[in-house]
Amino acid sequence: MTPERIKERLKETEGRVDVEAFVSALEYVRDDGRR
C-alpha cells in the first residue's frame, strides 16, 4: 500500500484510529527493517 492509500483508508475510519500513532508505528517497523 502506498502512504496515500493508507491515509485514505484511515480517513474512512472517522476517528476510530489514532492516525499519528499508526503512522509512527509504521515508520518504526520500516526503520527497524532497514537495520
Side-chain angles (χ1 to χ4, degrees):
M1 258 193 205
T2 65
E4 292 77 25
R5 184 72 183 125
I6 291 170
K7 288 176 187 171
E8 289 173 15
R9 293 297 301 264
L10 286 173
K11 286 177 189 169
E12 294 170 9
T13 66
E14 297 175 355
R16 292 183 301 239
V17 174
D18 182 343
V19 176
E20 292 303 315
F22 187 81
V23 170
S24 66
L26 287 177
E27 290 173 342
Y28 172 81
V29 170
R30 179 194 65 191
D31 293 344
D32 193 51
R34 290 182 177 172
R35 289 185 201 158

